[in-house]
Amino acid sequence: MTSSRVPLKWTDEQKDIRACKSDRIIVEANAGAAKTTTAAFTIAGLIERGANPKKILSLSFTEPGVKAFEAAFTRIDLPREIVRQLRVGTVEDFCAKRLERLEGIRVRRDKRPEDIREAVIDAIATARERAEARFPGEFSLHGEGGLAVEGLLEEFGQIKGSMAIQRAGEYFSLTPQSASDLGFSFTTLSVLREYERERIAFLDGEGEQARFRYQGDATYDLARLLISDDPPFSWESHPLWVGAEAVVFDEMHDCNWAIFTVLKKLLEVNDGCTFLGVGDRDQVIHARDGADSYFMKDGFGIEISEPKRLPLTLTHRFGESLARPLGSFASKAYTANKDRKSAVEVKVANTAEEVLHVVEDAARSRRGLDEDSDLQDLAVLLRHPGNAVELEHFLIVKSLPYETVGFRSFLERPEVLFIRMLLAVAVDLQAKFGTETLLAAKRATWQFVGGTLPGEGDAVETEQVVDSASEENFRSFVLPRLLRETEHSVSERILGAMALASNNSIADFPKITAALGVNELTRRVFVRSSDVEEVESSIAGLLNVAKRYASINSLLDALLQYDHAAKARSQKESRIVLSTIESSKGLEFDHVIVPGVNAGSFDGNSPDERNLFYVATSRARNLLTVTHATGRASRFLASFLR
């Protein structure tokens, strides 16, 4: 096969990886070091040495990782007829197919929280009833629980991915103390137990059968079967016998105990199968689906066999000026392509407005005289997205288009919608919400207020009334009824805050939120402490935004205008990316801005905190800008300030 493209220049490290004949290899790669391309290059080498492409499994953790594999095969000019024979996919898809073969049916697979929202809410109701019977007062979630669904699902993913309950032992019994010992809340584990009972049915004489699976559940379900004392298969009919000659696992830094359980058994069952794992141990974020650095470090050797470890140090993403401090921060060798030019800026920014000036200057620099210049390659990566409220507000005022990735815009955050609704009712203003925003605001208000309407039966029927109510009907009839049905202390707070707000004085806004006790209300409707902290941050940002308006009425008018502007924004419009750091993994941008790298807020001792900083700073291709407050530079910046 001929190609008009310029042939890739392979480094000595890449050649060594391709030529290595060890049956267990782990490539310890740096950010931007062409991990996936190197994996594809090595697969081509295996095929040249006689491996059957049909018997090579190319696995990744994410769908973008699979697409990266496919792009890499094209980049190295691997013939299409060979690529078609390769088995490329996510670990989750691989496990789902093996389970389908074992179970004889195709189980529904859901990928969006809204797809299984009802199942989680039903589990909350059952878990509350059972928990209150055994441990009164220990179940922390009040009301229907709709606002907690996404957070619960993320925690479920972490618990299942880490196989925390299975690793706790067969005699694990759920109590408030055992939950604390495991590192999770009693409420979360109680809901998970009921959710799993709903998700998996037990058939008389035939074991268990999944009714549906969410992200990660196929891997988890297969891993549980593999460690079962009485698995529903024999060695001869083992679901992992696939005749594999080689397994290549990209994104190995995202490996968790469920994945590793499957991987270990896969290599055991397919005798003679070789393994190549590629990852960057400094990108392990444990809170993400239970990822564990153990497997990139000593775990593989302890659990399977000692691998041959090979480095991949040359980054193609950025130049020496970023590679040098990043290598110093990570305490590992880091080199960069000499032809690659990058720059690093460390700036002082004490307020959200000063951060905006940094972002505004960057946008102006990108656009220059060309208003159509792409802003999509300018990213602001946030450690605490709740702090983005003021920045978003300034971007809107400045007419700088942006999109949020990994978190909701402040215009859509439930606590902001709740407060907007209460303020609108208090000052008796009509039509302060667009159609879509109104629905979200009604639901958020109901969740924070709590209660079910008399005569409506249960939460499902109450939700139907809330959803169908017009703005006027909700304000005049539904909300007052909810306030009568909720706990007295909650209704007192809300009515007191609304009485203060009725003066329409923006100067009273801090008193209004204090009287409302948003922090206490938040702890009733969210489970994760991180969610509570983000709400606190977003309310603090909203208070600062409010100072720019003359009255509560003018603030509400402005927010309504911002709703309309966001809805009218063209999907094709080039926009600045505001993203959580977690959501930026695997991505890269021309210019990355990381604000708020301050002592006390972004310098913790946990591995996740350190790795989040590493991930954020390693996303930049041409320019990295980091900001900190005066005299409060994080210790993470030490290598960047030399």
Side-chain angles (χ1 to χ4, degrees), residues 210-288:
R211 292 190 176 100
F212 62 88
R213 291 189 171 107
Y214 188 59
Q215 300 174 49
D217 281 341
T219 306
Y220 173 68
D221 287 348
L222 182 55
R224 285 190 304 108
L225 292 178
L226 294 175
I227 63 174
S228 170
D229 292 332
D230 185 24
F233 51 83
S234 65
W235 185 261
E236 290 75 17
S237 62
H238 202 289
L240 288 182
W241 193 89
V242 293
E245 294 180 6
V247 174
V248 179
F249 183 18
D250 196 13
E251 300 181 311
M252 191 174 171
H253 44 257
D254 287 319
C255 189
N256 57 32
W257 276 97
I259 292 173
F260 190 78
T261 300
V262 174
L263 176 63
K264 180 180 179 180
K265 188 60 68 172
L266 179 64
L267 296 178
E268 181 183 330
V269 171
N270 294 270
D271 189 37
C273 180
T274 62
F275 174 79
L276 171 71
V278 184
D280 182 353
R281 67 174 67 182
D282 292 292
Q283 293 192 49
V284 176
I285 299 175
H286 298 73
R288 179 174 175 174

Side-chain angles (χ1 to χ4, degrees), residues 157-208:
Q158 187 176 354
I159 295 166
K160 294 179 182 182
S162 64
M163 299 192 74
I165 296 175
Q166 288 76 17
R167 291 167 61 210
E170 60 179 307
Y171 298 110
F172 176 81
S173 176
L174 178 57
T175 66
Q177 183 58 54
S178 67
S180 178
D181 293 342
L182 213 59
F184 297 94
S185 77
F186 173 70
T187 300
T188 295
L189 289 174
S190 296
V191 178
L192 174 60
R193 182 175 58 184
E194 302 307 326
Y195 170 79
E196 286 296 282
R197 286 173 175 166
E198 171 63 22
R199 189 178 73 82
I200 298 175
F202 286 88
L203 309 176
D204 290 341
E206 298 183 25
E208 64 180 47

Side-chain angles (χ1 to χ4, degrees), residues 125-156:
T126 306
R128 179 187 293 112
E129 182 179 345
R130 292 184 175 174
E132 285 300 318
R134 292 188 63 208
F135 304 102
E138 293 291 343
F139 195 86
S140 65
L141 197 56
H142 295 252
E144 182 215 29
L147 294 182
V149 169
E150 290 188 29
L152 282 168
L153 287 173
E154 288 185 17
E155 288 208 308
F156 292 175

